[in-house]
Amino acid sequence: MHIKIEISSDQAGVRLDQAVAYSQSRISRSRIASLIAQGLIMVNHGFKRPGYKVKPKDLIEGDFPSPDQQDRKPLRPESIPLNILYEDDYILMIDKPAGLVVHPGAGNASGTLVNALIAHYPGFSEQGWDKERPGIVHRLDKDTSGLMVIAKTLKSLEFLQKEFKQRRVEKHYLALARGGNIPDAGVIERPIGRHPHHRKRMAVLDENSRYAKTRFSVIERFSSGCLMDIRLYTGRTHQIRVHFYDQGMPLFGDCIYQERRFRKKDPRVPRQMLHSWTLSFRHPYSGLRLSFEAPMPEDFKTTLLHLTDASQQPVNIN
């Protein structure tokens, strides 16, 4: 459901999440704050934090679940296979396949990772969990494969979310990037915000944006691009895809952040070539640092073979 609110003079100085909550009493303030943080609720067509103090005539617009969606029945468990790399009483480590949506949303009411998680661990159906995102600490795009850590207790969830926010988690990705003049290594520090005209896209923006940092290094070069190791320091929506597109080295298979002539589906490149490769973090109970690696998936290997020059030997990452 779409909302449109103009702030009156008597509302001036109120927190943004409070101002929205006043007009939408059936949605919790914490849920509204989450939607604001995701950029789904904006002020004067720009990004603001939940604690922003609204001003007279500020225009607040956004989309959020309607009351009937909020009241819908709990998600059903579904027997979707999970590639579990590690599990204990506190966390679950999985290697997510490309094509699997993380949590329900518009057009994806079932068949998600969350449906698989509540089938695997009935504890996610207990009180206290977000009904639509139980255990979800961080997300991967539908067509991005690789490592995700899932929290199995509310305390684990709180701890891990704080670790991600404080940038104590080390995340590396593998990517196939298009371009003939890609430097051997570099750091991209460009702010990212909601695209001013396309609400489902992100963009590098000087205003109404958030700090984002990505480091990269080339593993292997081929005629039309590179296989790259990417370290993600911040976790902005579509961060790697947006940063690389902005720097003129878009990911192979990305039909959104790409030059128009390359946006059509290529049968040799089935999806955006991005894989969450390694993940290192402190265990929420023991405090010991854990490190995990997800091998390059088969579709990634096949695409790399197609792109690699015939004279070169395929690179071995496993």
Side-chain angles (χ1 to χ4, degrees):
M1 184 170 69
H2 187 75
I3 63 165
K4 189 173 184 179
I5 306 166
E6 184 171 331
I7 297 299
S8 60
S9 57
D10 62 339
Q11 291 177 299
V14 173
R15 286 174 55 104
L16 174 57
D17 53 0
Q18 288 179 323
V20 177
Y22 290 156
S23 68
Q24 307 295 328
S25 60
R26 296 189 67 180
I27 299 179
S28 70
R29 181 172 152 190
S30 62
R31 178 64 171 145
I32 289 170
S34 175
L35 295 172
I36 294 169
Q38 294 174 58
L40 298 177
I41 297 176
M42 308 183 83
V43 180
N44 303 324
H45 307 291
F47 172 85
K48 296 293 183 184
R49 296 183 182 277
Y52 165 77
K53 301 299 178 62
V54 297
K55 301 180 178 68
K57 296 188 177 180
D58 272 350
L59 182 63
I60 301 172
E61 291 185 274
D63 297 288
F64 59 90
S66 59
D68 63 318
Q69 290 176 306
Q70 289 289 308
D71 296 338
R72 67 187 177 189
K73 295 179 180 179
L75 292 172
R76 293 179 303 169
E78 298 180 28
S79 56
I80 300 169
L82 291 173
N83 185 2
I84 298 173
L85 305 182
Y86 174 83
E87 183 174 12
D88 60 25
D89 291 339
Y90 308 94
I91 63 170
L92 177 66
M93 201 72 204
I94 67 164
D95 183 354
K96 185 188 86 70
L100 181 64
V101 176
V102 171
H103 57 72
N108 295 292
S110 62
T112 71
L113 173 61
V114 167
N115 293 103
L117 289 174
I118 59 179
H120 175 76
Y121 180 58
F124 286 135
S125 299
E126 297 174 358
Q127 291 288 334
W129 290 105
D130 183 324
K131 291 182 180 180
E132 296 189 351
R133 304 180 186 189
I136 301 300
V137 179
H138 61 121
R139 294 188 300 169
L140 293 179
D141 295 338
K142 173 185 176 182
D143 288 328
T144 297
S145 56
L147 294 172
M148 286 185 67
V149 58
I150 308 298
K152 291 180 65 178
T153 71
L154 291 169
K155 287 187 177 180
S156 294
L157 179 67
E158 182 181 2
F159 175 86
L160 290 170
Q161 286 179 334
K162 186 175 181 180
E163 292 291 285
F164 272 86
K165 185 176 182 179
Q166 297 297 324
R167 300 171 191 165
R168 298 185 184 122
V169 177
E170 186 168 337
K171 299 169 283 185
H172 285 259
Y173 288 71
L174 290 175
L176 292 173
R178 184 190 305 276
N181 297 302
I182 297 174
D184 290 337
V187 176
I188 306 169
E189 290 185 272
R190 301 295 307 277
I192 292 174
R194 187 70 54 179
H195 195 289
H197 305 298
H198 304 283
R199 292 186 58 78
K200 293 184 178 181
R201 293 176 57 181
M202 309 300 287
V204 168
L205 301 171
D206 292 327
E207 297 181 352
N208 302 316
S209 55
R210 302 174 73 183
Y211 172 78
K213 179 179 178 181
T214 308
R215 182 186 295 274
F216 67 89
S217 60
V218 172
I219 297 174
E220 184 80 6
R221 292 185 182 274
F222 45 91
S223 61
S224 55
C226 298
L227 171 65
M228 310 185 79
D229 171 21
I230 300 170
R231 181 175 179 185
L232 204 58
Y233 288 87
T234 51
R236 309 305 175 213
T237 302
H238 300 172
Q239 179 174 321
I240 294 173
R241 299 164 64 192
V242 172
H243 268 173
F244 274 55
Y245 176 56
D246 179 72
Q247 297 296 300
M249 45 187 189
L251 302 188
F252 280 95
D254 194 329
C255 294
I256 297 176
Y257 302 104
Q258 189 73 252
E259 295 175 46
R260 190 173 297 276
R261 63 195 175 107
F262 292 119
R263 288 180 188 172
K264 293 182 179 180
K265 284 284 187 181
D266 183 339
R268 299 173 303 169
V269 189
R271 45 102 173 187
Q272 65 216 22
M273 289 292 105
L274 187 60
H275 176 65
S276 178
W277 182 23
T278 67
L279 194 61
S280 176
F281 56 91
R282 291 193 300 159
H283 190 278
Y285 178 74
S286 69
L288 296 175
R289 193 154 194 91
L290 304 177
S291 297
F292 297 92
E293 179 177 326
M296 186 186 292
E298 290 304 316
D299 64 344
F300 206 113
K301 291 179 181 178
T302 301
T303 299
L304 181 58
L305 286 172
H306 283 308
L307 296 173
T308 303
D309 291 339
S311 59
Q312 296 178 330
Q313 293 295 320
V315 64
N316 184 12
I317 295 298
N318 296 337

